[in-house]
Amino acid sequence: MTTPSDRQSEEYIAVIDQDEVTDEVRNIAVNYDPLNRSGHEGFHVTEDGELHIDDAKVMAEHRLVEKKIPNDAVQIVPLPAETGQLVHQYGENGFRLYELPALRDGAVVGLLGRNGIGKTTALRVLAGDLVPNFGESSGGDWDHAVASFRGTTLQTHLERLRDGTVTTALKRQRVDRLADQAADTVHALLASRPTDADELLDDLDLRPILDRPLTELSGGERQRVAIAATLLEDADLYLFDEPSSFLDVAQRATVARVVHDRIRDTDASALVVEHDLATLDLLTDSIHVVYGESGSFGVVSQQLSPRAGINQFLDGHLTEENLRIRRRSIEFPSATDRGVQHRAVALEYPALEKTFDAFSLSVDAGRIHAGECVGVVGENALGKTTFVKLLAGVLESDDGTVSDDVTVSDDVTVSYKPQYVSPDSQGTVREQFREVADLYSEEFARRIRDPFDVEALYDRTLDSLSGGELQRVGVALCLARDADAYLVDEPSAFLDVDRRVSTADAIRQFSDRTDRPVLVVDHDLFVVDRVADRLIVFEGEPGERGYANSPQPMQEGMNAFLSALGVTFRRDERTGRPRVNKPGSQLDREQKASGEYYYGR
């Protein structure tokens, strides 16, 4: 049988803390480097005086250099390698999953990792939908699974899967497909479940929409209905695939509390795949980081506390396993003034009014500068998407078309990425981009193709893409069009943490390099925090009336937004990432008393 070491030799990376690098450290690293001694370049000192070595040149022998250095200035750590118990392999050269997450009665366990890394495979195995084959071409065997995990916390669960005595309930990722259910209305769907829904209707605020057809629900409403329908199943194991998508900040906090409390009270087990770090932090009792190479292999780490698991994932270094899972950490830079307020006004819109049968929206006039990214935040059902559609010309304001009053130029054009990206075309991704841009230009490659990593998807049809792939293509297509301004609605939906980071950074770079303004509507405050220069904050009564002010500074806007919700955020003291304070905690009370609902970067 082929072993992991036969398939992939271990790779290493040097992690250098320049603040700890002294002349002694430089001398040791340069003089004892085996590459330097053999006439090749290894560790060297740059013109800026920093110690450096190219990633591709780091090898196991450099650990001898690390041992000679008297502090932690240089660490030689391994990159991800296939290790542990091979649980399942798709074909002879297919994707391989190593290890499984541990379940705990009455607890919610989170899975954190990139897309394509094996999280869904792990869910399928523990749900009993996939019999693990342990790399054997002869197929899966539950007896083999029980024997392989004998003596672990998974043994009993695997025995029950073998005996057919485990029931599971799954909340799927794609809530936009909720209308595919046999039921017509929310009430019919929830009434078909075996458990009484009365308490959940209040907890998840579903009573006002009970008689609504499933086809007419918003994204956030579909998500809450899907979560309720899952919790109303009488199950031993509950599986939630991205339960925060399309929910606003307050709803994410509520869903985290409701799911956690219900799992604890029923003494069932739950597994959650979630990419919103604030929600994952609130929702889970423990976390497994899943790492590896997307599409090639995935390894489930040992169980960690939520804080330690999230921080180590962001650092890219699993401390207990001394393993580097990515070459560079995800950082949270301090706020910097990009000077956009000194640039020319690129988009100016008038005060807007829009009234529907049961909802009215009022928006203050605003100005957006060239090269500026403006975040749009607020509870669901306050009119954020309506505002975006008004600016895009998809809807007319009550006073006439907005395009008549968008004043910076006589012919302002707007490119719009809607909340839902529907694969309603049978064409390929390449054909979609060919309609809006020159695929062979250096400008397209630099601004769109490479930052959004879409070339690998060129030959795929839209209806074959995953939710995250479709989202990536949708954002890239929006920015690829030639327009004066860009409106991007929910760009983080279905994207993993790494993709959210790269997408937010790519949007900022696009606006800065093209001098075009971009408006971004999103509920992941990590994404908003990373992408936005200023904020448009929506207030009001959800489903009845909405009001939006003019763009305002980030700190001021976030404080206004979060104070209306009664939610406080803090910065993690070690990584700087935004974290939700638990309601009623000492820090929550202190921040509310001081009026600092959002600690800025």
Side-chain angles (χ1 to χ4, degrees), residues 106-147:
V108 180
V109 177
L111 297 183
L112 176 59
R114 288 177 292 164
N115 288 332
I117 211 75
K119 301 186 298 297
T120 298
T121 298
L123 291 183
R124 292 185 62 201
V125 169
L126 293 179
D129 294 336
L130 179 67
V131 182
N133 60 22
F134 296 92
E136 300 293 339
S137 58
S138 56
D141 183 342
W142 284 117
D143 286 327
H144 186 178
V146 171

Side-chain angles (χ1 to χ4, degrees), residues 459-472:
D459 296 325
R460 301 266 301 278
T461 59
L462 291 183
D463 58 5
S464 73
L465 300 180
S466 68
E469 291 168 339
L470 192 61
Q471 187 69 257
R472 210 162 83 228

Side-chain angles (χ1 to χ4, degrees), residues 67-348:
K67 291 180 180 179
K68 293 181 178 294
I69 292 175
N71 56 22
D72 292 330
V74 176
Q75 298 180 60
I76 306 299
V77 296
L79 286 172
E82 298 177 61
T83 183
Q85 171 69 62
L86 175 58
V87 174
H88 193 78
Q89 181 170 342
Y90 294 94
E92 183 177 353
N93 296 307
F95 178 86
R96 300 170 293 278
L97 175 67
Y98 294 83
E99 301 295 346
L100 286 172
L103 301 176
R104 293 165 52 193
D105 292 342
V108 180
V109 177
L111 297 183
L112 176 59
R114 288 177 292 164
N115 288 332
I117 211 75
K119 301 186 298 297
T120 298
T121 298
L123 291 183
R124 292 185 62 201
V125 169
L126 293 179
D129 294 336
L130 179 67
V131 182
N133 60 22
F134 296 92
E136 300 293 339
S137 58
S138 56
D141 183 342
W142 284 117
D143 286 327
H144 186 178
V146 171
S148 297
F149 286 91
R150 181 165 287 120
T152 71
T153 57
L154 278 175
Q155 178 182 343
T156 300
H157 181 76
L158 294 171
E159 287 173 343
R160 295 183 65 192
L161 284 175
R162 177 195 61 191
D163 301 336
T165 59
V166 172
T167 57
T168 62
L170 170 64
K171 201 292 294 181
R172 299 185 184 278
Q173 179 198 67
R174 298 293 300 273
V175 294
D176 53 322
R177 296 175 177 170
L178 186 68
D180 295 341
Q181 301 276 342
D184 294 329
T185 66
V186 173
H187 181 269
L189 177 64
L190 300 184
S192 67
R193 297 307 193 257
T195 308
D196 181 58
D198 193 61
E199 184 178 353
L200 275 181
L201 294 180
D202 293 324
D203 288 341
L204 297 178
D205 193 25
L206 297 177
R207 290 192 187 277
I209 62 171
L210 275 178
D211 295 326
R212 294 261 298 279
L214 297 177
T215 55
E216 296 180 7
L217 300 180
S218 69
E221 290 167 343
R222 293 182 188 190
Q223 186 70 269
R224 285 181 286 131
V225 169
I227 291 168
T230 303
L231 288 174
L232 290 174
E233 296 284 1
D234 185 11
D236 304 298
L237 174 62
Y238 294 86
L239 309 169
F240 297 89
D241 198 347
E242 299 194 37
S244 76
S245 297
F246 306 117
L247 299 181
D248 62 41
V249 174
Q251 290 169 341
R252 293 179 186 204
T254 297
V255 162
R257 174 185 58 79
V258 169
V259 172
H260 187 274
D261 290 351
R262 198 168 183 91
I263 296 302
R264 180 195 60 202
D265 294 343
T266 60
D267 211 29
S269 301
L271 268 179
V272 176
V273 173
E274 179 54 63
H275 299 301
D276 181 286
L277 299 181
T279 301
L280 189 70
D281 199 358
L282 277 179
L283 175 57
T284 58
D285 297 288
S286 60
I287 286 175
H288 290 277
V289 174
V290 188
Y291 62 90
E293 294 292 336
S294 295
S296 178
F297 73 92
V299 182
V300 180
S301 78
Q302 61 182 277
Q303 200 165 91
L304 299 164
S305 71
R307 182 174 183 269
I310 294 173
N311 284 351
Q312 290 182 31
F313 173 79
L314 294 172
D315 286 343
H317 182 234
L318 300 181
T319 306
E320 290 78 2
E321 301 176 36
N322 189 29
L323 179 68
R324 194 80 188 174
I325 61 174
R326 74 163 66 83
R327 291 184 181 274
R328 292 173 180 82
S329 63
I330 294 176
E331 298 179 347
F332 297 82
S334 299
T336 57
D337 182 3
R338 294 203 295 162
V340 292
Q341 69 268 30
H342 301 303
R343 299 185 186 181
V345 174
L347 179 66
E348 184 174 1

